[in-house]
Short mmCIF file of all heavy atoms in Angstrom, two decimals:
data_model
loop_
_atom_site.label_atom_id
_atom_site.label_comp_id
_atom_site.label_asym_id
_atom_site.label_seq_id
_atom_site.Cartn_x
_atom_site.Cartn_y
_atom_site.Cartn_z
N ASP A 54 41.12 111.20 122.13
CA ASP A 54 39.77 111.76 122.08
C ASP A 54 38.72 110.67 121.83
O ASP A 54 38.85 109.89 120.89
CB ASP A 54 39.69 112.83 120.99
CG ASP A 54 38.53 113.77 121.18
OD1 ASP A 54 37.39 113.32 120.97
OD2 ASP A 54 38.74 114.91 121.54
N SER A 104 33.37 117.32 122.81
CA SER A 104 34.78 117.65 123.00
C SER A 104 35.00 119.13 123.35
O SER A 104 35.95 119.47 124.04
CB SER A 104 35.60 117.31 121.74
OG SER A 104 35.63 115.94 121.54
N ASP A 287 38.10 109.26 118.22
CA ASP A 287 36.71 109.68 118.31
C ASP A 287 35.98 109.55 116.97
O ASP A 287 34.85 109.03 116.91
CB ASP A 287 36.68 111.14 118.78
CG ASP A 287 35.26 111.69 118.94
OD1 ASP A 287 34.53 111.17 119.81
OD2 ASP A 287 34.89 112.59 118.20
N HIS A 291 32.67 107.23 116.09
CA HIS A 291 31.41 107.70 115.49
C HIS A 291 31.05 106.88 114.25
O HIS A 291 29.87 106.70 113.96
CB HIS A 291 31.54 109.18 115.06
CG HIS A 291 31.44 110.16 116.18
ND1 HIS A 291 30.32 110.30 116.94
CD2 HIS A 291 32.34 111.09 116.64
CE1 HIS A 291 30.50 111.28 117.84
NE2 HIS A 291 31.73 111.75 117.68
N HIS A 330 35.96 111.92 126.78
CA HIS A 330 34.66 111.26 126.93
C HIS A 330 34.74 109.91 126.24
O HIS A 330 35.62 109.68 125.39
CB HIS A 330 33.53 112.11 126.30
CG HIS A 330 33.86 112.51 124.89
ND1 HIS A 330 33.83 111.66 123.83
CD2 HIS A 330 34.24 113.72 124.39
CE1 HIS A 330 34.16 112.30 122.72
NE2 HIS A 330 34.44 113.55 123.04
N ASN A 332 33.01 107.06 123.63
CA ASN A 332 32.26 107.18 122.38
C ASN A 332 31.92 105.78 121.87
O ASN A 332 32.78 104.99 121.50
CB ASN A 332 33.11 107.94 121.34
CG ASN A 332 32.34 108.23 120.09
OD1 ASN A 332 31.28 107.65 119.80
ND2 ASN A 332 32.85 109.17 119.30
N HIS A 439 28.76 109.97 121.60
CA HIS A 439 29.52 109.97 122.85
C HIS A 439 28.72 109.31 123.97
O HIS A 439 27.48 109.24 123.90
CB HIS A 439 29.84 111.42 123.28
CG HIS A 439 30.70 112.13 122.28
ND1 HIS A 439 31.10 113.43 122.49
CD2 HIS A 439 31.23 111.75 121.11
CE1 HIS A 439 31.85 113.82 121.47
NE2 HIS A 439 31.92 112.83 120.61
ZN1 ZN B 501 32.99 113.02 118.86
#
Side-chain angles (χ1 to χ4, degrees):
D54 199 289
S104 293
D287 181 65
H291 282 298
H330 50 74
N332 187 343
H439 297 181

